[in-house]
Amino acid sequence: MKTGLKRCLLITLTLLIVLGSFVSCGNAGDESGETTTLAASDAAETEPETGDPNYADELPVLDFGNESVSIFASRRPGAEDELYSEGINHELINDAVYERNRIVEDRLGVKLDIQVDGNGDSHYSVANTIHNLVMTGTDDYQICTGPAYVTVLFCVKGDYLDLPSFEYLNLEKHYWSQGFNEMASWGEGYQFTASGSIALSLFRNMYITLYNKDLLKEWQAADPYESVLNGTWTLDYQTQLTSGMYRDLNGNGISDPADAFGFISGAYGSSDCYWIACDAAVVKKDADGYFVYDADVDRLFETVEDVMALYYRADSYIIPFTEDDPTLANNAIGPFSENRAFMITTMVIRLENSLRDFKGEYAILPIPKLDAAQDGYRTCVQDQVTDFSVPVTCPSSKQNMVGAVLECLAAESYRTVADAYYNTALSYRYLNNPESKVMLDLIYDSVSFEIAQIYTDCIGSFLNDMRAIVSSKNNTTVSKFKQIRRSMEKAVKDVNKSYEKITEKQ
């Protein structure tokens, strides 16, 4: 999504006028909980001019007679508040979601019937329910959501309709993630799922680097901010910068979580980000838009070498494979919040729920590049990012309405919910230095997806293979890819064959 969401920062002042001073917050520094709401009709009348037609929807005046649209939403940490809100409760995101939904209903003359899955955070629950309804031809839901790595399994089964064929749906608009589109589209532009500004998980699940500015001063280290700007923020430089910082705080002569480190990360989910950040592709597209196994094994090998050099040394503490994923749990963010770690690989969501009481000053950076010659930074978004699909059982008589609802939800999410989270919650509440706001802009602008990352369960668990290599502390990348090459080539061809059959029918 190279051109995707970065313009959020550029239109902040205009959006603040629309949303009523920081989207439901009285003033920038006001923590009193006072809420200023904006009626849907007023919002429509004062819709901001972004100056870029890519961010302005082209929906005509529509009225579907208050017809109901049933949406089945997946419930997962970081995604539970994306679509549903019972009403104004003076919470920033909740109120923005509520206002967004009311605006969509008023603009289109529809009733949004949003049902959140009751099966906890089961990733497969919604997809399995929809699949069973498809098998029986039942039209209970017109829109469904789920984690992307699960959704694509059911795209290949033929459970969803081709989104670009919907009359009012324009996936080329930048409130839809163009990076996601590039990954999810197939053949001559067929696409069965999409993501974008509707999904707060697109923001929350971005991998980032955090560093402690107080420890930076204490160690008199060079601020990596400038290295990002001049293109030299690499894995090798991160290793150099975080060297010599280990301290045995408890004096037991053993490196353990109670000590102080230059760098903390994990050998499981935290390692996923490096293959995308270092542009080490595994599956690409040919000239016809078909998926092709084309692993850059040499670049993957080099990336693993640099990751292991960063990970396995005295100055780093790496959460073992058997423990909780530190991108989500407190194993790694805890020491950082206690000023015992200079740098950490984590996800944006940790800024919300783990650093609220952080006493010092921290700053944000992208995940490093492999080398200075690499063309730009690439931000990995965890494969659990929410995407949106339409079951094949949706009647043709409802498809125009469903397309309009998805388009309006995406456009209004960009104007309200995304702004509330990105420009207000992140830029002003959780980040407290101007450099981080510049970095946040760069990180959003660099969001990228790799086909093998999202289709990992379809073509051979690529991510698990890489996690196992990192955890082993032995760079077996070359031999592993020799071992899995034939199976992955066949799996990719099978995906292509499945899509050929599906597209022939639609």
PDB file of all heavy atoms in Angstrom, residues 1-5 171-174 176-185 191 193-196 202 285 379 381 444-451 453-454:
ATOM      1  N   MET A   1       0.857  -1.184   0.000  1.00  0.00           N
ATOM      2  CA  MET A   1       0.000   0.000   0.000  1.00  0.00           C
ATOM      3  C   MET A   1       0.889   1.228   0.000  1.00  0.00           C
ATOM      4  O   MET A   1       0.851   2.062   0.864  1.00  0.00           O
ATOM      5  CB  MET A   1      -0.891  -0.015   1.243  1.00  0.00           C
ATOM      6  CG  MET A   1      -1.979   1.005   1.210  1.00  0.00           C
ATOM      7  SD  MET A   1      -3.086   0.793   2.611  1.00  0.00           S
ATOM      8  CE  MET A   1      -1.954   0.984   3.963  1.00  0.00           C
ATOM      9  N   LYS A   2       1.715   1.371  -1.032  1.00  0.00           N
ATOM     10  CA  LYS A   2       2.713   2.421  -1.069  1.00  0.00           C
ATOM     11  C   LYS A   2       2.093   3.809  -1.052  1.00  0.00           C
ATOM     12  O   LYS A   2       2.680   4.746  -0.578  1.00  0.00           O
ATOM     13  CB  LYS A   2       3.580   2.260  -2.310  1.00  0.00           C
ATOM     14  CG  LYS A   2       4.370   0.966  -2.308  1.00  0.00           C
ATOM     15  CD  LYS A   2       5.616   1.137  -1.525  1.00  0.00           C
ATOM     16  CE  LYS A   2       6.320  -0.195  -1.440  1.00  0.00           C
ATOM     17  NZ  LYS A   2       7.694  -0.160  -1.631  1.00  0.00           N
ATOM     18  N   THR A   3       0.907   3.958  -1.623  1.00  0.00           N
ATOM     19  CA  THR A   3       0.275   5.274  -1.651  1.00  0.00           C
ATOM     20  C   THR A   3      -0.929   5.338  -0.744  1.00  0.00           C
ATOM     21  O   THR A   3      -1.706   6.281  -0.807  1.00  0.00           O
ATOM     22  CB  THR A   3      -0.164   5.616  -3.086  1.00  0.00           C
ATOM     23  OG1 THR A   3      -1.034   4.596  -3.540  1.00  0.00           O
ATOM     24  CG2 THR A   3       1.019   5.735  -3.998  1.00  0.00           C
ATOM     25  N   GLY A   4      -1.103   4.315   0.102  1.00  0.00           N
ATOM     26  CA  GLY A   4      -2.339   4.137   0.836  1.00  0.00           C
ATOM     27  C   GLY A   4      -2.714   5.184   1.843  1.00  0.00           C
ATOM     28  O   GLY A   4      -3.370   6.165   1.496  1.00  0.00           O
ATOM     29  N   LEU A   5      -2.290   5.019   3.104  1.00  0.00           N
ATOM     30  CA  LEU A   5      -2.891   5.775   4.186  1.00  0.00           C
ATOM     31  C   LEU A   5      -2.084   6.970   4.644  1.00  0.00           C
ATOM     32  O   LEU A   5      -2.475   7.670   5.563  1.00  0.00           O
ATOM     33  CB  LEU A   5      -3.127   4.831   5.370  1.00  0.00           C
ATOM     34  CG  LEU A   5      -4.141   3.735   5.080  1.00  0.00           C
ATOM     35  CD1 LEU A   5      -4.108   2.703   6.188  1.00  0.00           C
ATOM     36  CD2 LEU A   5      -5.527   4.308   4.950  1.00  0.00           C
ATOM     37  N   LEU A 171     -12.353  -0.787  -5.642  1.00  0.00           N
ATOM     38  CA  LEU A 171     -11.203  -1.171  -4.825  1.00  0.00           C
ATOM     39  C   LEU A 171      -9.949  -0.378  -5.168  1.00  0.00           C
ATOM     40  O   LEU A 171      -8.939  -0.483  -4.460  1.00  0.00           O
ATOM     41  CB  LEU A 171     -10.928  -2.668  -4.976  1.00  0.00           C
ATOM     42  CG  LEU A 171     -12.030  -3.608  -4.490  1.00  0.00           C
ATOM     43  CD1 LEU A 171     -11.601  -5.063  -4.657  1.00  0.00           C
ATOM     44  CD2 LEU A 171     -12.407  -3.326  -3.041  1.00  0.00           C
ATOM     45  N   GLU A 172      -9.993   0.426  -6.217  1.00  0.00           N
ATOM     46  CA  GLU A 172      -8.839   1.252  -6.566  1.00  0.00           C
ATOM     47  C   GLU A 172      -8.732   2.503  -5.693  1.00  0.00           C
ATOM     48  O   GLU A 172      -7.699   3.164  -5.678  1.00  0.00           O
ATOM     49  CB  GLU A 172      -8.896   1.650  -8.038  1.00  0.00           C
ATOM     50  CG  GLU A 172      -8.751   0.460  -8.990  1.00  0.00           C
ATOM     51  CD  GLU A 172      -8.771   0.881 -10.440  1.00  0.00           C
ATOM     52  OE1 GLU A 172      -8.866   2.105 -10.704  1.00  0.00           O
ATOM     53  OE2 GLU A 172      -8.698   0.000 -11.317  1.00  0.00           O
ATOM     54  N   LYS A 173      -9.791   2.807  -4.971  1.00  0.00           N
ATOM     55  CA  LYS A 173      -9.736   3.945  -4.064  1.00  0.00           C
ATOM     56  C   LYS A 173      -8.769   3.627  -2.922  1.00  0.00           C
ATOM     57  O   LYS A 173      -8.651   2.490  -2.483  1.00  0.00           O
ATOM     58  CB  LYS A 173     -11.130   4.237  -3.498  1.00  0.00           C
ATOM     59  CG  LYS A 173     -12.122   4.744  -4.544  1.00  0.00           C
ATOM     60  CD  LYS A 173     -11.758   6.144  -5.013  1.00  0.00           C
ATOM     61  CE  LYS A 173     -12.819   6.720  -5.946  1.00  0.00           C
ATOM     62  NZ  LYS A 173     -12.519   8.113  -6.338  1.00  0.00           N
ATOM     63  N   HIS A 174      -8.128   4.666  -2.410  1.00  0.00           N
ATOM     64  CA  HIS A 174      -7.065   4.438  -1.441  1.00  0.00           C
ATOM     65  C   HIS A 174      -7.546   4.223  -0.018  1.00  0.00           C
ATOM     66  O   HIS A 174      -6.734   4.007   0.885  1.00  0.00           O
ATOM     67  CB  HIS A 174      -6.058   5.583  -1.500  1.00  0.00           C
ATOM     68  CG  HIS A 174      -5.234   5.540  -2.743  1.00  0.00           C
ATOM     69  ND1 HIS A 174      -4.363   6.535  -3.084  1.00  0.00           N
ATOM     70  CD2 HIS A 174      -5.159   4.609  -3.730  1.00  0.00           C
ATOM     71  CE1 HIS A 174      -3.782   6.231  -4.235  1.00  0.00           C
ATOM     72  NE2 HIS A 174      -4.259   5.077  -4.635  1.00  0.00           N
ATOM     73  N   TRP A 176      -9.198   1.646   0.397  1.00  0.00           N
ATOM     74  CA  TRP A 176      -8.911   0.216   0.331  1.00  0.00           C
ATOM     75  C   TRP A 176      -7.393   0.051   0.243  1.00  0.00           C
ATOM     76  O   TRP A 176      -6.724   0.830  -0.434  1.00  0.00           O
ATOM     77  CB  TRP A 176      -9.573  -0.427  -0.885  1.00  0.00           C
ATOM     78  CG  TRP A 176     -11.069  -0.413  -0.846  1.00  0.00           C
ATOM     79  CD1 TRP A 176     -11.910   0.383  -1.567  1.00  0.00           C
ATOM     80  CD2 TRP A 176     -11.900  -1.236  -0.026  1.00  0.00           C
ATOM     81  NE1 TRP A 176     -13.216   0.122  -1.251  1.00  0.00           N
ATOM     82  CE2 TRP A 176     -13.239  -0.877  -0.302  1.00  0.00           C
ATOM     83  CE3 TRP A 176     -11.654  -2.248   0.904  1.00  0.00           C
ATOM     84  CZ2 TRP A 176     -14.318  -1.494   0.326  1.00  0.00           C
ATOM     85  CZ3 TRP A 176     -12.722  -2.869   1.539  1.00  0.00           C
ATOM     86  CH2 TRP A 176     -14.040  -2.480   1.242  1.00  0.00           C
ATOM     87  N   SER A 177      -6.865  -0.949   0.914  1.00  0.00           N
ATOM     88  CA  SER A 177      -5.417  -1.155   0.922  1.00  0.00           C
ATOM     89  C   SER A 177      -4.948  -1.663  -0.436  1.00  0.00           C
ATOM     90  O   SER A 177      -5.289  -2.777  -0.858  1.00  0.00           O
ATOM     91  CB  SER A 177      -5.028  -2.163   2.000  1.00  0.00           C
ATOM     92  OG  SER A 177      -3.692  -2.567   1.833  1.00  0.00           O
ATOM     93  N   GLN A 178      -4.157  -0.857  -1.111  1.00  0.00           N
ATOM     94  CA  GLN A 178      -3.650  -1.254  -2.416  1.00  0.00           C
ATOM     95  C   GLN A 178      -2.609  -2.372  -2.294  1.00  0.00           C
ATOM     96  O   GLN A 178      -2.489  -3.216  -3.184  1.00  0.00           O
ATOM     97  CB  GLN A 178      -3.063  -0.035  -3.138  1.00  0.00           C
ATOM     98  CG  GLN A 178      -4.071   1.074  -3.380  1.00  0.00           C
ATOM     99  CD  GLN A 178      -5.344   0.579  -4.053  1.00  0.00           C
ATOM    100  OE1 GLN A 178      -5.290  -0.001  -5.136  1.00  0.00           O
ATOM    101  NE2 GLN A 178      -6.487   0.781  -3.412  1.00  0.00           N
ATOM    102  N   GLY A 179      -1.858  -2.376  -1.190  1.00  0.00           N
ATOM    103  CA  GLY A 179      -0.927  -3.472  -0.961  1.00  0.00           C
ATOM    104  C   GLY A 179      -1.659  -4.789  -0.781  1.00  0.00           C
ATOM    105  O   GLY A 179      -1.229  -5.834  -1.279  1.00  0.00           O
ATOM    106  N   PHE A 180      -2.773  -4.749  -0.067  1.00  0.00           N
ATOM    107  CA  PHE A 180      -3.590  -5.949   0.104  1.00  0.00           C
ATOM    108  C   PHE A 180      -4.186  -6.379  -1.231  1.00  0.00           C
ATOM    109  O   PHE A 180      -4.211  -7.570  -1.560  1.00  0.00           O
ATOM    110  CB  PHE A 180      -4.696  -5.702   1.125  1.00  0.00           C
ATOM    111  CG  PHE A 180      -5.410  -6.948   1.561  1.00  0.00           C
ATOM    112  CD1 PHE A 180      -5.019  -7.617   2.702  1.00  0.00           C
ATOM    113  CD2 PHE A 180      -6.483  -7.444   0.835  1.00  0.00           C
ATOM    114  CE1 PHE A 180      -5.672  -8.772   3.123  1.00  0.00           C
ATOM    115  CE2 PHE A 180      -7.145  -8.594   1.227  1.00  0.00           C
ATOM    116  CZ  PHE A 180      -6.742  -9.269   2.375  1.00  0.00           C
ATOM    117  N   ASN A 181      -4.683  -5.421  -2.007  1.00  0.00           N
ATOM    118  CA  ASN A 181      -5.245  -5.737  -3.321  1.00  0.00           C
ATOM    119  C   ASN A 181      -4.235  -6.461  -4.206  1.00  0.00           C
ATOM    120  O   ASN A 181      -4.574  -7.426  -4.901  1.00  0.00           O
ATOM    121  CB  ASN A 181      -5.700  -4.457  -4.038  1.00  0.00           C
ATOM    122  CG  ASN A 181      -6.961  -3.873  -3.444  1.00  0.00           C
ATOM    123  OD1 ASN A 181      -7.659  -4.520  -2.664  1.00  0.00           O
ATOM    124  ND2 ASN A 181      -7.249  -2.631  -3.795  1.00  0.00           N
ATOM    125  N   GLU A 182      -2.996  -5.990  -4.189  1.00  0.00           N
ATOM    126  CA  GLU A 182      -1.967  -6.589  -5.020  1.00  0.00           C
ATOM    127  C   GLU A 182      -1.750  -8.050  -4.647  1.00  0.00           C
ATOM    128  O   GLU A 182      -1.557  -8.903  -5.501  1.00  0.00           O
ATOM    129  CB  GLU A 182      -0.656  -5.806  -4.875  1.00  0.00           C
ATOM    130  CG  GLU A 182       0.536  -6.393  -5.613  1.00  0.00           C
ATOM    131  CD  GLU A 182       0.316  -6.525  -7.117  1.00  0.00           C
ATOM    132  OE1 GLU A 182      -0.478  -5.760  -7.689  1.00  0.00           O
ATOM    133  OE2 GLU A 182       0.962  -7.409  -7.727  1.00  0.00           O
ATOM    134  N   MET A 183      -1.787  -8.324  -3.357  1.00  0.00           N
ATOM    135  CA  MET A 183      -1.626  -9.698  -2.892  1.00  0.00           C
ATOM    136  C   MET A 183      -2.859 -10.541  -3.190  1.00  0.00           C
ATOM    137  O   MET A 183      -2.757 -11.696  -3.625  1.00  0.00           O
ATOM    138  CB  MET A 183      -1.329  -9.689  -1.391  1.00  0.00           C
ATOM    139  CG  MET A 183      -1.232 -11.053  -0.721  1.00  0.00           C
ATOM    140  SD  MET A 183      -2.830 -11.818  -0.295  1.00  0.00           S
ATOM    141  CE  MET A 183      -3.549 -10.574   0.755  1.00  0.00           C
ATOM    142  N   ALA A 184      -4.062  -9.987  -2.954  1.00  0.00           N
ATOM    143  CA  ALA A 184      -5.289 -10.771  -2.993  1.00  0.00           C
ATOM    144  C   ALA A 184      -5.864 -10.965  -4.394  1.00  0.00           C
ATOM    145  O   ALA A 184      -6.626 -11.904  -4.624  1.00  0.00           O
ATOM    146  CB  ALA A 184      -6.348 -10.109  -2.109  1.00  0.00           C
ATOM    147  N   SER A 185      -5.538 -10.103  -5.329  1.00  0.00           N
ATOM    148  CA  SER A 185      -6.092 -10.229  -6.682  1.00  0.00           C
ATOM    149  C   SER A 185      -5.415 -11.376  -7.420  1.00  0.00           C
ATOM    150  O   SER A 185      -4.272 -11.742  -7.134  1.00  0.00           O
ATOM    151  CB  SER A 185      -5.934  -8.923  -7.448  1.00  0.00           C
ATOM    152  OG  SER A 185      -4.576  -8.549  -7.528  1.00  0.00           O
ATOM    153  N   GLN A 191     -10.915 -10.857  -7.483  1.00  0.00           N
ATOM    154  CA  GLN A 191     -10.529 -10.652  -6.083  1.00  0.00           C
ATOM    155  C   GLN A 191     -11.727 -10.962  -5.200  1.00  0.00           C
ATOM    156  O   GLN A 191     -12.790 -10.386  -5.366  1.00  0.00           O
ATOM    157  CB  GLN A 191     -10.064  -9.213  -5.858  1.00  0.00           C
ATOM    158  CG  GLN A 191      -9.503  -8.946  -4.484  1.00  0.00           C
ATOM    159  CD  GLN A 191      -8.874  -7.570  -4.358  1.00  0.00           C
ATOM    160  OE1 GLN A 191      -8.411  -7.001  -5.345  1.00  0.00           O
ATOM    161  NE2 GLN A 191      -8.850  -7.035  -3.156  1.00  0.00           N
ATOM    162  N   THR A 193     -11.662 -11.026  -1.657  1.00  0.00           N
ATOM    163  CA  THR A 193     -11.618 -10.426  -0.334  1.00  0.00           C
ATOM    164  C   THR A 193     -10.806  -9.142  -0.399  1.00  0.00           C
ATOM    165  O   THR A 193      -9.951  -8.992  -1.292  1.00  0.00           O
ATOM    166  CB  THR A 193     -11.027 -11.406   0.696  1.00  0.00           C
ATOM    167  OG1 THR A 193     -11.196 -10.886   2.000  1.00  0.00           O
ATOM    168  CG2 THR A 193      -9.552 -11.671   0.432  1.00  0.00           C
ATOM    169  N   ALA A 194     -11.071  -8.227   0.502  1.00  0.00           N
ATOM    170  CA  ALA A 194     -10.380  -6.936   0.495  1.00  0.00           C
ATOM    171  C   ALA A 194     -10.251  -6.422   1.926  1.00  0.00           C
ATOM    172  O   ALA A 194     -10.988  -6.831   2.824  1.00  0.00           O
ATOM    173  CB  ALA A 194     -11.138  -5.921  -0.361  1.00  0.00           C
ATOM    174  N   SER A 195      -9.314  -5.520   2.105  1.00  0.00           N
ATOM    175  CA  SER A 195      -9.127  -4.885   3.414  1.00  0.00           C
ATOM    176  C   SER A 195      -8.762  -3.423   3.194  1.00  0.00           C
ATOM    177  O   SER A 195      -8.398  -3.020   2.090  1.00  0.00           O
ATOM    178  CB  SER A 195      -8.024  -5.595   4.216  1.00  0.00           C
ATOM    179  OG  SER A 195      -7.975  -5.117   5.546  1.00  0.00           O
ATOM    180  N   GLY A 196      -8.869  -2.667   4.267  1.00  0.00           N
ATOM    181  CA  GLY A 196      -8.554  -1.244   4.150  1.00  0.00           C
ATOM    182  C   GLY A 196      -8.914  -0.510   5.416  1.00  0.00           C
ATOM    183  O   GLY A 196      -8.801  -1.050   6.525  1.00  0.00           O
ATOM    184  N   LEU A 202      -5.679  -3.450  10.517  1.00  0.00           N
ATOM    185  CA  LEU A 202      -4.665  -3.086   9.528  1.00  0.00           C
ATOM    186  C   LEU A 202      -3.648  -2.145  10.155  1.00  0.00           C
ATOM    187  O   LEU A 202      -2.445  -2.222   9.871  1.00  0.00           O
ATOM    188  CB  LEU A 202      -5.326  -2.428   8.312  1.00  0.00           C
ATOM    189  CG  LEU A 202      -4.396  -1.987   7.186  1.00  0.00           C
ATOM    190  CD1 LEU A 202      -3.796  -3.197   6.475  1.00  0.00           C
ATOM    191  CD2 LEU A 202      -5.118  -1.101   6.194  1.00  0.00           C
ATOM    192  N   LYS A 285       3.681 -13.086  -8.940  1.00  0.00           N
ATOM    193  CA  LYS A 285       2.692 -13.228 -10.002  1.00  0.00           C
ATOM    194  C   LYS A 285       3.380 -13.174 -11.354  1.00  0.00           C
ATOM    195  O   LYS A 285       4.351 -12.424 -11.534  1.00  0.00           O
ATOM    196  CB  LYS A 285       1.651 -12.106  -9.925  1.00  0.00           C
ATOM    197  CG  LYS A 285       0.719 -12.188  -8.744  1.00  0.00           C
ATOM    198  CD  LYS A 285      -0.308 -11.064  -8.815  1.00  0.00           C
ATOM    199  CE  LYS A 285      -1.216 -11.068  -7.616  1.00  0.00           C
ATOM    200  NZ  LYS A 285      -2.199  -9.960  -7.656  1.00  0.00           N
ATOM    201  N   THR A 379       6.630  -2.440   5.419  1.00  0.00           N
ATOM    202  CA  THR A 379       5.984  -2.714   6.698  1.00  0.00           C
ATOM    203  C   THR A 379       5.145  -3.968   6.596  1.00  0.00           C
ATOM    204  O   THR A 379       4.221  -4.038   5.794  1.00  0.00           O
ATOM    205  CB  THR A 379       5.098  -1.537   7.129  1.00  0.00           C
ATOM    206  OG1 THR A 379       5.905  -0.373   7.288  1.00  0.00           O
ATOM    207  CG2 THR A 379       4.380  -1.845   8.433  1.00  0.00           C
ATOM    208  N   VAL A 381       2.329  -6.439   7.932  1.00  0.00           N
ATOM    209  CA  VAL A 381       1.121  -6.478   8.751  1.00  0.00           C
ATOM    210  C   VAL A 381       0.832  -7.942   9.049  1.00  0.00           C
ATOM    211  O   VAL A 381       0.830  -8.776   8.134  1.00  0.00           O
ATOM    212  CB  VAL A 381      -0.077  -5.831   8.028  1.00  0.00           C
ATOM    213  CG1 VAL A 381      -1.329  -5.885   8.903  1.00  0.00           C
ATOM    214  CG2 VAL A 381       0.249  -4.395   7.640  1.00  0.00           C
ATOM    215  N   TYR A 444       3.086   3.639   7.696  1.00  0.00           N
ATOM    216  CA  TYR A 444       1.819   3.426   6.997  1.00  0.00           C
ATOM    217  C   TYR A 444       2.022   3.415   5.486  1.00  0.00           C
ATOM    218  O   TYR A 444       1.426   2.623   4.759  1.00  0.00           O
ATOM    219  CB  TYR A 444       0.825   4.527   7.362  1.00  0.00           C
ATOM    220  CG  TYR A 444       0.113   4.322   8.667  1.00  0.00           C
ATOM    221  CD1 TYR A 444      -0.126   5.398   9.513  1.00  0.00           C
ATOM    222  CD2 TYR A 444      -0.326   3.069   9.072  1.00  0.00           C
ATOM    223  CE1 TYR A 444      -0.781   5.238  10.712  1.00  0.00           C
ATOM    224  CE2 TYR A 444      -0.974   2.889  10.269  1.00  0.00           C
ATOM    225  CZ  TYR A 444      -1.206   3.977  11.096  1.00  0.00           C
ATOM    226  OH  TYR A 444      -1.856   3.815  12.292  1.00  0.00           O
ATOM    227  N   ASP A 445       2.858   4.309   5.017  1.00  0.00           N
ATOM    228  CA  ASP A 445       3.086   4.443   3.584  1.00  0.00           C
ATOM    229  C   ASP A 445       3.780   3.222   3.000  1.00  0.00           C
ATOM    230  O   ASP A 445       3.769   3.019   1.795  1.00  0.00           O
ATOM    231  CB  ASP A 445       3.933   5.697   3.325  1.00  0.00           C
ATOM    232  CG  ASP A 445       3.988   6.068   1.859  1.00  0.00           C
ATOM    233  OD1 ASP A 445       2.981   5.879   1.153  1.00  0.00           O
ATOM    234  OD2 ASP A 445       5.053   6.537   1.411  1.00  0.00           O
ATOM    235  N   SER A 446       4.392   2.395   3.854  1.00  0.00           N
ATOM    236  CA  SER A 446       5.199   1.277   3.383  1.00  0.00           C
ATOM    237  C   SER A 446       4.542  -0.081   3.594  1.00  0.00           C
ATOM    238  O   SER A 446       5.209  -1.115   3.427  1.00  0.00           O
ATOM    239  CB  SER A 446       6.559   1.290   4.102  1.00  0.00           C
ATOM    240  OG  SER A 446       7.215   2.527   3.947  1.00  0.00           O
ATOM    241  N   VAL A 447       3.265  -0.111   3.958  1.00  0.00           N
ATOM    242  CA  VAL A 447       2.587  -1.383   4.211  1.00  0.00           C
ATOM    243  C   VAL A 447       2.654  -2.284   2.986  1.00  0.00           C
ATOM    244  O   VAL A 447       2.348  -1.855   1.863  1.00  0.00           O
ATOM    245  CB  VAL A 447       1.123  -1.152   4.621  1.00  0.00           C
ATOM    246  CG1 VAL A 447       0.313  -2.437   4.520  1.00  0.00           C
ATOM    247  CG2 VAL A 447       1.055  -0.606   6.033  1.00  0.00           C
ATOM    248  N   SER A 448       3.074  -3.527   3.196  1.00  0.00           N
ATOM    249  CA  SER A 448       3.236  -4.489   2.106  1.00  0.00           C
ATOM    250  C   SER A 448       2.729  -5.860   2.549  1.00  0.00           C
ATOM    251  O   SER A 448       2.764  -6.198   3.721  1.00  0.00           O
ATOM    252  CB  SER A 448       4.707  -4.606   1.685  1.00  0.00           C
ATOM    253  OG  SER A 448       5.238  -3.366   1.279  1.00  0.00           O
ATOM    254  N   PHE A 449       2.276  -6.640   1.581  1.00  0.00           N
ATOM    255  CA  PHE A 449       1.865  -8.019   1.832  1.00  0.00           C
ATOM    256  C   PHE A 449       2.587  -8.930   0.845  1.00  0.00           C
ATOM    257  O   PHE A 449       2.867  -8.536  -0.286  1.00  0.00           O
ATOM    258  CB  PHE A 449       0.354  -8.186   1.663  1.00  0.00           C
ATOM    259  CG  PHE A 449      -0.460  -7.513   2.728  1.00  0.00           C
ATOM    260  CD1 PHE A 449      -0.855  -6.191   2.584  1.00  0.00           C
ATOM    261  CD2 PHE A 449      -0.830  -8.191   3.879  1.00  0.00           C
ATOM    262  CE1 PHE A 449      -1.604  -5.556   3.563  1.00  0.00           C
ATOM    263  CE2 PHE A 449      -1.580  -7.565   4.856  1.00  0.00           C
ATOM    264  CZ  PHE A 449      -1.975  -6.246   4.702  1.00  0.00           C
ATOM    265  N   GLU A 450       2.881 -10.137   1.290  1.00  0.00           N
ATOM    266  CA  GLU A 450       3.499 -11.143   0.437  1.00  0.00           C
ATOM    267  C   GLU A 450       2.524 -12.305   0.307  1.00  0.00           C
ATOM    268  O   GLU A 450       1.913 -12.721   1.298  1.00  0.00           O
ATOM    269  CB  GLU A 450       4.827 -11.610   1.064  1.00  0.00           C
ATOM    270  CG  GLU A 450       5.906 -11.962   0.059  1.00  0.00           C
ATOM    271  CD  GLU A 450       5.887 -13.412  -0.366  1.00  0.00           C
ATOM    272  OE1 GLU A 450       4.883 -14.097  -0.114  1.00  0.00           O
ATOM    273  OE2 GLU A 450       6.890 -13.857  -0.970  1.00  0.00           O
ATOM    274  N   ILE A 451       2.349 -12.823  -0.899  1.00  0.00           N
ATOM    275  CA  ILE A 451       1.362 -13.886  -1.143  1.00  0.00           C
ATOM    276  C   ILE A 451       1.604 -15.082  -0.237  1.00  0.00           C
ATOM    277  O   ILE A 451       0.673 -15.637   0.358  1.00  0.00           O
ATOM    278  CB  ILE A 451       1.392 -14.299  -2.624  1.00  0.00           C
ATOM    279  CG1 ILE A 451       0.948 -13.117  -3.505  1.00  0.00           C
ATOM    280  CG2 ILE A 451       0.487 -15.508  -2.870  1.00  0.00           C
ATOM    281  CD1 ILE A 451       1.236 -13.303  -4.983  1.00  0.00           C
ATOM    282  N   GLN A 453       2.889 -15.167   2.628  1.00  0.00           N
ATOM    283  CA  GLN A 453       2.572 -14.824   4.015  1.00  0.00           C
ATOM    284  C   GLN A 453       1.100 -15.085   4.299  1.00  0.00           C
ATOM    285  O   GLN A 453       0.754 -15.763   5.270  1.00  0.00           O
ATOM    286  CB  GLN A 453       2.903 -13.351   4.276  1.00  0.00           C
ATOM    287  CG  GLN A 453       2.381 -12.816   5.607  1.00  0.00           C
ATOM    288  CD  GLN A 453       2.183 -11.305   5.597  1.00  0.00           C
ATOM    289  OE1 GLN A 453       2.175 -10.674   4.545  1.00  0.00           O
ATOM    290  NE2 GLN A 453       2.023 -10.734   6.770  1.00  0.00           N
ATOM    291  N   ILE A 454       0.197 -14.551   3.475  1.00  0.00           N
ATOM    292  CA  ILE A 454      -1.236 -14.685   3.711  1.00  0.00           C
ATOM    293  C   ILE A 454      -1.739 -16.078   3.318  1.00  0.00           C
ATOM    294  O   ILE A 454      -2.598 -16.649   3.989  1.00  0.00           O
ATOM    295  CB  ILE A 454      -2.016 -13.599   2.945  1.00  0.00           C
ATOM    296  CG1 ILE A 454      -1.530 -12.210   3.373  1.00  0.00           C
ATOM    297  CG2 ILE A 454      -3.512 -13.733   3.186  1.00  0.00           C
ATOM    298  CD1 ILE A 454      -1.747 -11.884   4.834  1.00  0.00           C
TER     299      ILE A 454
END
